[in-house]
Amino acid sequence: MTSIKLGVHLPAAGRAASPASIAEVAEEAERIGLDSIWSWDRLMRPTVPIAMGGPGGPVMEAPEDFATVYDPIETLTYVAARTSRISLGTSVLDALFQNPVVLARRLATLDRFSGGRLIAGIGQGWMQQEFEAAGVSMSRRGAGFEEHLLAMRAVWGPDPVSFAGRYYRIPEADIGPKPVRPGGPSVVVGAASPSALQRAGRLGLGLTLVIFDWDSIRESIATFRAAAGAAGHELDGLPIMLQVNGSVTEDPVREPAPLLGSPEQVAADLERAAKLGVGHVFWHFDENPLRSLPLLAQLRRD
């Protein structure tokens, strides 16, 4: 049995998404012993080509699934009532589209309803059209995102809460509910660029990566850990998670990407990931997750 925690994305996007299919996958994932289920965030599917990854990125048609994405917090609150043990994660929730007081209270409420099972995967967003619809300048990314995270931490801390920054101000007040754990839920930051990796490490937060190859995994973790160590954080206490986009299959795959292929190939990759300090891996399958859950259960048993 692998020491790494295993999870799966809920089928919360696309035309086939429904409350029934979301609940079915959540309940089955818990039944077979997986550690986590995940939701993700998208405001819209623009009808014009978009720059993937942000301004200057490759231009392409937005995927069809972007047109219907169930809200991540409401989705996880729904399945929290239908499960009892499994962790509930967002990968990732675009923080800048919500005021930090509002978002911190929503996340704390979910954490309370679930008995402290929330993993708050937070990102800053990248699609220009979403920033326009949310009424937020893309210049808020970077320093504004860091301040947003700090403001949420303040809301989760002891009352009275107050915060004074360049982008956000919270007058002294009592703000609740508070999360189950003092200081807030487990927070992991979605990061890819060196500056984003360094920010997550410097703030002493966890890290979640969408993976492409072993070199990028190794380099990203090294950058993150160097920044965390320089800031005086205990490295063993900072979670590192990998999101895998693709499938586990019954048959071996020739030269598969990391953590894809047959259960035997994935099991070997999990051991490799563990040596890099990864503690949690979750899959975003292209098809209905129910088809692949038995293979993840095999990884959990072996």
Side-chain angles (χ1 to χ4, degrees), residues 41-180:
D41 202 7
R42 191 86 288 133
L43 296 186
M44 60 179 64
R45 179 186 181 271
T47 56
V48 298
I50 61 174
M52 297 297 291
V59 176
M60 62 180 291
E61 295 294 325
E64 289 291 337
D65 281 358
F66 284 15
T68 301
V69 181
Y70 280 62
D71 184 272
I73 295 178
E74 277 81 354
T75 297
L76 294 179
T77 303
Y78 172 62
V79 300
R82 306 181 69 110
T83 57
S84 60
R85 174 198 58 80
I86 199 164
S87 294
L88 314 170
T90 57
S91 184
V92 290
L93 193 158
D94 294 322
L96 292 179
F97 302 152
Q98 300 184 53
N99 174 277
V101 174
V102 174
L103 182 55
R105 291 184 66 251
R106 295 184 70 206
L107 291 170
T109 299
L110 168 56
D111 195 54
R112 281 285 175 181
F113 279 143
S114 66
R117 291 187 278 149
L118 174 64
I119 302 172
I122 307 294
Q124 60 181 344
W126 55 268
M127 191 193 299
Q128 180 178 350
Q129 290 88 342
E130 288 184 316
F131 278 87
E132 182 178 349
V136 178
S137 170
M138 291 195 77
S139 65
R140 185 66 60 90
R141 299 195 305 169
F145 177 58
E146 178 172 338
E147 194 172 291
H148 192 294
L149 292 167
L150 295 174
M152 287 204 295
R153 272 183 167 176
V155 172
W156 291 331
D159 289 327
V161 172
S162 65
F163 185 85
R166 175 184 175 189
Y167 302 97
Y168 303 103
R169 297 185 63 85
I170 305 173
E172 185 173 300
D174 296 337
I175 302 177
K178 303 297 184 184
V180 171

Side-chain angles (χ1 to χ4, degrees), residues 1-7 35 240-242 259 266-267 269-283 299-300:
M1 176 181 296
T2 178
S3 60
I4 291 183
K5 293 182 178 181
L6 305 180
D35 300 285
I240 298 175
M241 305 183 180
L242 302 181
L259 295 156
V266 173
D269 281 354
L270 287 171
E271 294 303 317
R272 185 174 181 179
K275 293 177 181 178
L276 293 175
V278 175
H280 204 137
V281 174
F282 50 95
W283 282 262
L299 287 171
R300 170 55 66 220

